[in-house]
Amino acid sequence: MTGCVPLTLEDVPALLALEKSCFGAEGFSAPQLRQMLTARYGLALGLWEEELLVGAVLLEVLVPESELHSLAVQPAKRSRGLGSVLLKSAITEARKLGANEMFLEVRSSNQAAIALYERAGFTPLSVRRGYYSQPREDALVMHMRLSSPSPGPVGAEISAS
């Protein structure tokens, strides 16, 4: 396995299979994946083992914010640190593109994912009641600052004497 690589339209079938294996009917559809991969603000990164896409992360970077839409690891490949690799890659890419914060939603019952996000530095922000439909469940909204806020306009740090 190599590190995370950008995914392209050619990877949509593999990405669709991964989404379905991880999220069932709530996974992204092929048209949604194509739209994300062709949008100027969309980004998809994947981890491959030979011909199998074992993990992927989907995000949007709308500077100064970014939103992580999906982090998926093949069920048989979990607990090997792949989610952490994908998350770190997403954060690095969002920073490179100029984002200074990242948001995400996660099922409130998904303790493994919540722990992964907290280890990376995300903090709970709010709850979206009934956000997920299959089964009906709340989403925990989480946030992470990717960089220090700007100190203000140029010269603001200079005090007048």
Side-chain angles (χ1 to χ4, degrees):
M1 177 180 349
T2 59
C4 288
V5 296
L7 299 176
T8 68
L9 287 173
E10 292 176 4
D11 301 315
V12 167
L15 191 51
L16 184 61
L18 177 65
E19 282 279 312
K20 295 302 177 201
S21 73
C22 293
F23 307 117
E26 288 198 331
F28 284 107
S29 67
Q32 290 170 319
L33 293 171
R34 281 192 289 278
Q35 179 180 5
M36 182 164 288
L37 288 169
T38 56
R40 65 181 177 91
Y41 49 81
L43 180 63
L45 303 169
L47 287 171
W48 296 87
E49 281 185 358
E50 297 176 23
E51 301 296 316
L52 177 66
L53 183 65
V54 296
V57 62
L58 306 173
L59 63 149
E60 288 180 314
V61 181
L62 297 164
V63 175
E65 296 178 1
S66 59
E67 183 170 352
L68 190 142
H69 288 293
S70 175
L71 192 153
V73 174
Q74 286 285 349
K77 303 291 183 177
R78 292 182 182 159
S79 299
R80 294 175 36 194
L82 301 179
S84 181
V85 169
L86 288 161
L87 183 57
K88 287 177 185 174
S89 294
I91 291 168
T92 297
E93 291 302 315
R95 281 183 176 134
K96 283 182 188 174
L97 293 170
N100 61 23
E101 55 189 334
M102 185 176 282
F103 296 89
L104 62 86
E105 291 96 9
V106 60
R107 281 185 179 273
S108 55
S109 66
N110 191 341
Q111 292 304 308
I114 292 168
L116 170 70
Y117 298 136
E118 287 178 338
R119 282 192 306 272
F122 283 86
T123 57
L125 189 63
S126 64
V127 173
R128 290 196 174 141
R129 301 278 175 220
Y131 182 79
Y132 294 103
S133 60
Q134 297 180 10
R136 188 76 142 169
E137 189 174 347
D138 296 343
L140 178 62
V141 179
M142 300 184 81
H143 171 262
M144 178 181 177
R145 181 156 298 285
L146 303 179
S147 64
S148 299
S150 169
V154 173
E157 69 280 4
I158 303 171
S159 60
S161 319

